[in-house]
Amino acid sequence: MAVPGQAGSRGMRRRGLLKAALPLGAAATALGTGPAVAAGNAPSGAPARHGRDRIDVHCHLIPDFYRRSLTAHGVTEIGGVPVPAWSPTLAVGFMNRYGIQTQVVSVSEPGVTYLSSAKDRVAMAQRLNTYMSRDLVHTTSAHLKGRFGGFAVLPLGSAPDEQDVAHAVTEARRAVRDLKLDGVGIFSSYGGTYLGDPLFAPLMKALDELGAMVFIHPVTPQGYPDLGLPPFLYEFTFDTTRALVDMLYKGVYHRYPHIRWLAAHAGGTLPYISYRTSLLTVTPAVAQQVGAAGLDDSSPHFRKLFYDTALSPAPQAMKSVRELAGTEHILFATDWPFTSALFPAAGDPAPQLDETFSSAERLAVERSNALAQFPALAARIGAA
């Protein structure tokens, strides 16, 4: 979404760049994408892949009623990208082409922050979550059954206050306990307020009590430098990093140990700079006192986070995440439909993963790791 006050010529440049760049991205992806491995044709010693076995933990839904509301409020771009087409049928078609059994959908930026009234934000969040549960996650449609999981959207505004947080607590509980969604989605920041802010303490306490999987999705930060490029290219990664580091130093991970955090886009830049950003947690003097001198001082809290592969399947990102958190903390993701131009044909949706993971590890990243973290989803699709 274009940042208020920064639209105008900047938005025009972004759209022009996107029109030129996305076809090139699609062509490059087409050149690098090989056919999917069919069942029975896996390399020797590798587990056989079946037609549809991937679990995609980072993708989005844009139902018609939400799209109409966005348009009515002047929201036509998200992260510098025009709002893409979406429907359950389009989503199933995409999944079928790329060997994906189930998508865990969430609401991307701007969520409901574009609505100025707290009452309107609550109403839209409730409508989105009810739709997600009734029409996708727990649908009775034979065509859609077992194809979707869901992260709830919270009714937080662009300048959240205590009332907003109270509403978010209520909706998080309703979404997990009553609607039986698979977790909760939250943004990296809300109008410049990051997740470690004491304002969010009641929400963090509720999420901890729920033992929720919480998906952190980035947003376009306020006042970012204008490079004439769409902010999803780099600003999204930086804002994710800010949120994760902020929560470390504000004690969120320590105080709320039952929250499982899933960081979008391989955690932004965090894996690469995890050591540097953790330096204040273990100084050399303290490290010597506890017998940790010479060890990697990266925060153990960062190692406990989960990271997705969306827009980050290349070894430059995946090897860094693997070094930090281990293969078992990496989950497959596509960021569809915002990445539609990167998936021009059927086949392997992330062939670059072969440069980091063995066939058995890829199966874990693309399926079993998610099933372990989403037991209700695993039960719905009949997976062991």
Side-chain angles (χ1 to χ4, degrees), residues 68-382:
R68 289 193 295 269
S69 178
L70 291 174
T71 301
H73 288 81
V75 181
T76 59
E77 292 183 356
I78 295 175
V81 178
V83 180
W86 180 89
S87 72
T89 299
L90 287 174
V92 169
F94 170 76
M95 285 188 269
N96 289 346
R97 290 194 302 276
Y98 286 98
I100 298 168
Q101 182 175 6
T102 302
Q103 288 184 339
V104 185
V105 295
S106 58
V107 179
S108 183
E109 179 189 33
V112 298
T113 63
Y114 67 97
L115 296 169
S116 59
S117 160
K119 180 180 178 181
D120 290 343
R121 290 195 294 273
V122 169
M124 180 57 74
Q126 289 179 340
R127 188 175 182 185
L128 283 163
N129 292 334
T130 299
Y131 170 84
M132 202 184 304
S133 175
R134 182 193 62 211
D135 291 40
L136 298 179
V137 178
H138 301 291
T139 181
T140 58
S141 166
H143 177 58
L144 303 180
K145 193 174 180 64
R147 305 310 300 272
F148 294 96
F151 288 114
V153 61
L154 299 179
L156 292 167
S158 59
D161 56 20
E162 291 181 359
Q163 181 188 50
D164 258 3
V165 173
H167 290 157
V169 168
T170 299
E171 186 59 14
R173 288 172 175 158
R174 184 183 84 99
V176 174
R177 292 174 177 170
D178 301 336
L179 299 181
K180 299 190 183 307
L181 294 178
D182 297 292
V184 173
I186 196 167
F187 292 154
S188 53
S189 61
Y190 291 85
T193 302
Y194 285 85
L195 300 181
D197 194 286
L199 172 70
F200 294 121
L203 176 59
M204 297 301 169
K205 183 175 183 292
L207 295 173
D208 190 64
E209 291 170 349
L210 291 169
M213 173 65 86
V214 179
F215 174 50
I216 303 175
H217 192 278
V219 295
T220 305
Q222 293 186 331
Y224 65 93
D226 182 7
L227 302 183
L229 294 167
F232 83 88
L233 281 177
Y234 52 95
E235 289 296 342
F236 271 21
T237 64
F238 300 155
D239 215 55
T240 299
T241 305
R242 293 183 189 105
L244 298 175
V245 174
D246 182 58
M247 287 196 291
L248 172 66
Y249 286 102
K250 300 296 176 55
V252 172
Y253 305 130
H254 177 72
R255 287 197 303 274
Y256 310 107
H258 300 110
I259 301 175
R260 290 164 297 138
W261 299 97
L262 173 59
H265 308 123
T269 65
L270 181 75
Y272 178 70
I273 62 172
S274 60
Y275 173 82
R276 179 186 179 119
T277 57
S278 302
L279 286 177
L280 296 184
T281 65
V282 184
T283 65
V286 173
Q288 288 179 0
Q289 291 176 12
V290 300
L295 300 179
D296 181 356
D297 294 341
S298 295
S299 169
H301 293 295
F302 290 156
R303 298 187 183 279
K304 294 179 181 179
L305 304 180
F306 292 86
Y307 302 83
D308 77 36
T309 70
L311 291 173
S312 309
Q316 298 94 315
M318 285 296 101
K319 290 183 179 180
S320 185
V321 179
R322 180 178 179 173
E323 181 67 22
L324 173 63
T327 300
E328 65 275 14
H329 279 235
I330 303 173
L331 307 180
F332 171 75
T334 64
D335 206 356
W336 188 88
F338 290 94
T339 55
S340 295
L342 302 179
F343 298 98
D348 185 341
Q352 303 97 323
L353 293 177
D354 281 338
E355 299 179 57
T356 301
F357 305 107
S358 69
S359 296
E361 289 170 333
R362 272 201 70 170
L363 185 59
V365 167
E366 294 178 313
R367 182 174 177 82
S368 58
N369 290 348
L371 295 179
Q373 296 305 318
F374 298 96
L377 184 155
R380 291 198 304 272
I381 65 176

